[in-house]
């Protein structure tokens, strides 16, 4: 199966903004006035299902040969100068810590500074944006060097031990005095470890202990997902679609998304952040966002790598276009459920939660724009 054939219709879907919903979440929710009392009646657990009649209706099913429109907003803010400033500082930092040696120009064209500028429209401070950008690039570098790119030294047989040592940097491990110097040596000598250490030191300037702790927790989940992927590679096994979706749930965009309140300068309380309904909505948004990456990245992956269109095509024995169509439908289902959850939570939660959900929606729109323009997946970047 041609990877280009898989990704081309997917890239076209992301680039087509004609039917994109508003980047302002409040205009997408806008429940009827009668919905408020109904949702409050069911706030104990049934509010989401009760509210679904008050959120945007599902579009008519696409025809057999038609590609459905992507239910995802565009960017709320696009400031190229700010994105370029963050990106240049980011490339300078990558050179200092030693990641992507000899490939800094390629890193520059990926324009991760633009990604962070687009996904955090409430943040104006380049240094605050840079803290998040460093974390994103450290995560991407670990994925490239440890999990995906054999040419960069990735080896599924040692993914687990590499990630365990890296986690001792992300969530610092206090070893007995006799052995601490060896961990410290690893922390200083291994470029990926240095990247995470310095990125998190920068991030800690802007986070509360609870915000930093939730980031560390999400990184632990990400490392579990990378170990699962290594199992597939080591055993030459293509997962069924359901298992792949479990992996993508763990290996989603939540690590960078989890910083939306940090960069905007406020804090969603742990009580609300970890509430099961909030967590469900937020993780659905992260799951949907990473499927956009699947639509774009296929042509840059080897035949042994995995993305949702590929595993759907293999399991369902369908054409690449049909697999992309199914991927878009799954993405849209997740996004519409997020909107339903956000509608109910916006009526029953705190003003801070309402802002957090709106910032999450803005993150999704910025991510869509970056994926459609980044030099990582395209010959040129805007």
């Amino acid at each position: 199966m041609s990877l280009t054939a898989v990704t081309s219709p997917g890239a076209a879907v992301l680039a087509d903004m004609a039917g994109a919903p508003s980047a302002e979440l409040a205009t997408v929710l806008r429940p009827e006035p009668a919905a408020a009392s109904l949702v409050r009646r069911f706030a104990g657990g049934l509010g989401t299902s009760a509210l679904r009649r008050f959120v945007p209706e599902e579009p008519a099913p696409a025809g057999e040969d038609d590609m459905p429109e992507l239910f995802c907003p565009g960017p709320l803010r696009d400031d190229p100068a700010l994105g370029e400033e963050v990106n240049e500082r980011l490339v300078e930092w990558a050179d200092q810590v030693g990641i992507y040696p000899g490939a800094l120009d390629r890193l520059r064209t990926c324009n991760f500074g633009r990604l962070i500028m687009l996904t955090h429209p409430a943040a104006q401070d380049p240094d605050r944006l840079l803290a998040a950008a460093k974390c994103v690039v450290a995560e991407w570098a670990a994925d490239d060097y440890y999990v995906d790119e054999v040419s960069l030294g990735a080896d599924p047989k040692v993914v687990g031990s590499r990630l365990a040592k890296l986690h001792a940097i992300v969530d610092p491990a206090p070893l007995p005095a006799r052995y601490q110097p060896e961990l410290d040596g690893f922390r200083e000598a291994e470029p990926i470890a240095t990247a995470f250490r310095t990125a998190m030191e920068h991030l800690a300037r802007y986070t509360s202990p609870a915000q930093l702790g939730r980031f560390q927790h999400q990184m632990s989940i990400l490392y579990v997902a990378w170990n699962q992927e290594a199992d597939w590679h080591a055993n030459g096994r293509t997962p069924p679609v359901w298992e792949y979706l479990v992996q993508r749930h763990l290996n989603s965009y939540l690590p960078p998304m989890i910083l939306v309140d940090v960069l905007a300068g406020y804090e969603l309380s742990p009580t609300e952040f970890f509430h099961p309904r909030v967590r469900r909505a937020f993780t659905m948004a992260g799951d949907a966002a990473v499927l956009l990456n699947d639509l774009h990245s296929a042509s840059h992956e080897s035949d042994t790598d995995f993305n949702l269109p590929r595993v759907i095509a293999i399991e369902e024995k369908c054409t690449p276009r049909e697999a992309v169509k199914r991927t878009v439908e799954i993405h849209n289902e997740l996004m519409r459920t997020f909107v339903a959850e956000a509608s109910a939570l916006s009526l029953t939660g705190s003003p801070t939660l309402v802002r957090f959900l709106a910032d999450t929606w803005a993150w999704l729109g910025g991510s869509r724009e970056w994926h459609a323009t980044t030099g990582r997946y395209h010959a040129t970047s805007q």
Side-chain angles (χ1 to χ4, degrees):
M1 174 174 45
S2 166
L3 290 173
T4 302
V6 169
T7 194
S8 295
V13 167
L14 268 81
D16 182 6
M17 299 292 293
S22 171
E24 294 277 2
L25 180 60
T27 65
V28 179
L29 304 182
R30 208 184 293 280
E32 296 176 10
S37 60
L38 181 61
V39 171
R40 291 189 183 98
R41 281 175 51 204
F42 292 102
L46 298 179
T48 298
S49 59
L51 190 73
R52 283 196 177 116
R53 75 185 74 176
F54 302 107
V55 299
E57 294 293 330
E58 290 276 356
E64 185 173 340
D65 297 325
D66 297 331
M67 187 66 66
E69 290 183 343
L70 197 72
F71 185 68
C72 183
L76 187 60
R77 185 268 306 271
D78 191 350
D79 185 339
L82 179 58
E84 183 176 356
E85 180 178 354
V86 175
N87 201 53
E88 287 304 313
R89 294 189 190 186
L90 184 65
V91 173
E92 181 181 354
W93 165 80
D95 187 28
Q96 292 170 352
V97 299
I99 56 175
Y100 295 110
L104 293 178
D105 286 341
R106 173 63 176 159
L107 177 62
R108 180 177 284 105
T109 65
C110 291
N111 218 337
F112 288 105
R114 174 170 166 79
L115 169 66
I116 300 304
M117 175 276 296
L118 288 167
T119 53
H120 297 279
Q124 305 292 335
D125 178 15
D127 190 70
R128 190 180 286 259
L129 292 166
L130 180 62
K134 287 178 178 179
C135 291
V136 165
V137 170
E139 293 156 22
W140 234 286
D143 192 18
D144 286 344
Y145 281 87
Y146 288 175
V147 183
D148 281 342
E149 303 296 335
V150 174
S151 63
L152 297 179
D155 182 349
K157 296 189 295 297
V158 296
V159 166
S161 61
R162 283 176 161 178
L163 293 178
K165 289 185 289 187
L166 191 59
H167 193 271
I169 308 303
V170 172
D171 189 1
L175 299 188
R178 179 176 176 179
Y179 302 102
Q180 188 67 43
E182 293 174 90
L183 176 57
D184 292 341
F186 168 77
R187 182 182 288 115
E188 297 295 332
E190 165 61 27
I192 303 295
T194 302
F196 269 104
R197 174 178 58 81
T198 58
M200 293 188 65
E201 288 171 353
H202 193 167
L203 182 65
R205 301 177 201 168
Y206 299 109
T207 60
S208 71
Q211 287 172 316
L212 188 62
R214 61 158 117 115
F215 176 80
Q216 292 167 318
H217 171 247
Q218 201 62 52
M219 290 304 302
S220 301
I221 294 172
L222 179 62
Y223 291 168
V224 170
W226 284 346
N227 271 293
Q228 183 182 14
E229 183 177 347
D231 164 62
W232 299 339
H233 288 301
N235 293 290
R237 183 170 69 90
T238 298
V241 172
W242 76 266
E243 183 182 340
Y244 178 80
L245 289 171
V246 168
Q247 198 270 351
R248 265 324 207 182
H249 173 72
L250 304 175
N251 180 18
S252 73
Y253 271 133
L254 287 196
M257 288 173 62
I258 217 164
L259 303 178
V260 293
D261 58 341
V262 173
L263 268 66
Y266 66 97
E267 180 174 2
L268 181 65
S269 73
T271 300
E272 284 197 303
F273 179 84
F274 286 107
H275 189 284
R277 289 184 61 197
V278 176
R279 182 72 176 167
R280 179 175 186 266
F282 190 51
T283 56
M284 277 192 168
D287 295 352
V290 83
L291 296 186
L292 301 192
N293 181 270
D294 278 16
L295 289 170
H296 266 300
S297 64
S299 64
H300 301 268
E301 298 172 344
S302 71
D303 288 334
T304 60
D305 283 327
F306 305 99
N307 53 73
L308 184 56
R310 180 172 183 265
V311 296
I312 287 175
I314 291 172
E315 180 173 302
E316 301 184 9
K317 297 180 174 57
C318 63
T319 67
R321 180 177 174 81
E322 290 169 335
V324 167
K325 179 179 179 181
R326 182 70 187 118
T327 298
V328 174
E329 290 170 345
I330 292 171
H331 167 275
N332 288 354
E333 177 184 343
L334 291 168
M335 289 287 281
R336 290 183 181 278
T337 306
F338 167 76
V339 170
E341 291 283 356
S343 297
L345 292 166
S346 293
L347 289 169
T348 60
S350 70
T352 305
L353 177 58
V354 173
R355 181 177 181 184
F356 184 84
L357 294 168
D359 287 342
T360 298
W361 184 252
W363 198 100
L364 297 169
S367 176
R368 177 182 184 170
E369 175 68 13
W370 179 79
H371 277 89
T373 58
T374 174
R376 185 172 176 93
Y377 304 128
H378 305 278
T380 59
S381 175
Q382 292 183 0

